[in-house]
Amino acid sequence: MESTYLNCLALFGVGGAHPGGLNLTRRMLSKEKMDASTKVLDVGCGTGQTSALISKQYQCQVTALDYNKMMLEKAKKRFQSMNLQIETQYGTAENLPFKNGSFDLLLSESVTAFTDISKTIPEYKRVLKPNGVLLAIEMMRETDISEKQMKEILDFYGVRQLLSEQEWLAHFEKVGFEKIEVEKVELHPDIQKMDVSNDYSLSKDIDPSFYKIFEKHHHLSILYKDILGCRIFRCSL
Ligand SMILES: C[S@@+](CC[C@H](N)C(=O)[O-])C[C@H]1O[C@@H](n2cnc3c(N)ncnc32)[C@H](O)[C@@H]1O
């Protein structure tokens, strides 16, 4: 298995693998109206921490999708062990296997930056109901950066782009989201470490090279603390 950042998250089974972790998710969701009739799609669900929280706390109908089979298996195990009826779906964010207007709420927690946003963002809009809401927690850049810095960040994280807030907004507006609220997420390098949630589901026999990826992640979080930022984008019509 290639020593990539995403494979590392999958092997360690990191739950809450987005800036701010579960605490940020809880706070973000507390502002939404949800009940047992709400249909939620968790795109890039990882090990399913957020899907489980939503299903348990709000009794919503949750679908958890990811294109990484190891992540999806770990999510399934979590749901089974918690006795939660959550549908798991293998698929890509670029080509969501759902009909138009299927969901009330779509979550993308540190996922979209890894994808081809020219396809993904229109897909989000397509599968949402007309009064649906997209909640996206996204990695972004706070300042202009050199080509060398950009390359180091894109290569290490495997993200396809590192957009500014304005660039993210332009992409959401382009597909027709009319109401977009942006919240800056305050990050401290220490909470960018992925051990904030204490929620791991480790695979057997992890190659030592993968531990180095955590070290490099921490190193880059500190090195680029004034460059790497995070926003919550709440998009609706
Ligand atoms: C940083 S992790 C975040 C996982 C989860 N949302 C969380 O907060 O714990 C990114 C996730 O997005 C998934 N992912 C990345 N690109 C994807 C794509 N094009 N389609 C579907 N899933 C994708 C990865 O497999 C991984 O599980």
Side-chain angles (χ1 to χ4, degrees), residues 10-11 13 70-78 201-203:
L11 279 168
M70 188 182 285
M71 284 290 204
L72 214 50
E73 273 312 306
K74 291 183 179 184
K76 271 186 202 166
K77 274 197 191 145
R78 180 197 296 272
S201 162
L202 265 68
S203 298

Side-chain angles (χ1 to χ4, degrees), residues 5-6 9 14-18 42-47 50 65-68 71 91-94 109-111 114-115:
Y5 176 71
L6 281 183
L9 295 182
V14 180
H18 57 272
D42 184 6
V43 172
C45 63
T47 68
T50 293
L65 173 139
D66 208 290
Y67 77 164
N68 182 306
M71 284 290 204
T92 69
E94 288 86 351
E109 295 186 304
S110 197
V111 177
F114 292 94
T115 71

Side-chain angles (χ1 to χ4, degrees), residues 20 45 55 105 112:
C45 63
S55 170
L105 182 66
T112 313

Side-chain angles (χ1 to χ4, degrees), residues 77-194:
K77 274 197 191 145
R78 180 197 296 272
F79 304 151
Q80 276 161 9
S81 72
M82 294 175 74
N83 207 12
L84 295 172
Q85 303 301 314
I86 295 175
E87 193 186 322
T88 49
Q89 175 73 54
Y90 173 79
T92 69
E94 288 86 351
N95 187 14
L96 292 170
F98 308 107
K99 290 189 184 140
N100 295 357
S102 299
F103 298 97
D104 300 290
L105 182 66
L106 190 153
L107 285 166
S108 163
E109 295 186 304
S110 197
V111 177
T112 313
F114 292 94
T115 71
D116 176 352
I117 55 173
S118 70
K119 297 186 177 139
T120 311
I121 297 178
E123 277 294 85
Y124 292 170
K125 172 89 184 338
R126 181 184 68 75
V127 301
L128 274 172
K129 293 181 186 173
N131 58 349
V133 171
L134 163 66
L135 287 175
I137 299 179
E138 296 303 340
M139 180 177 170
M140 44 77 68
R141 69 182 158 78
E142 299 285 1
T143 60
D144 288 337
I145 54 176
S146 70
E147 266 181 43
K148 190 167 167 253
Q149 289 172 319
M150 181 68 95
K151 185 171 176 348
E152 182 172 30
I153 294 167
L154 298 189
D155 286 353
F156 174 72
Y157 288 104
V159 287
R160 295 206 191 196
Q161 56 268 306
L162 184 65
L163 303 180
S164 66
E165 180 179 318
Q166 285 311 316
E167 288 166 343
W168 274 114
L169 282 171
H171 282 282
F172 291 126
E173 280 164 5
K174 195 172 155 197
V175 299
F177 287 115
E178 284 170 9
K179 204 172 160 220
I180 307 177
E181 293 159 45
V182 188
E183 182 185 331
K184 182 173 180 178
V185 178
E186 293 300 338
L187 297 175
H188 182 277
D190 282 346
I191 65 161
Q192 279 186 295
K193 282 200 282 180
M194 288 167 298

Side-chain angles (χ1 to χ4, degrees), residues 2 7 28 46 104 109 122 124 131 169 181 197 210-211 231:
E2 229 190 313
N7 282 341
M28 178 176 82
D104 300 290
E109 295 186 304
Y124 292 170
N131 58 349
L169 282 171
E181 293 159 45
S197 65
F210 284 98
Y211 288 85
R231 297 286 185 277

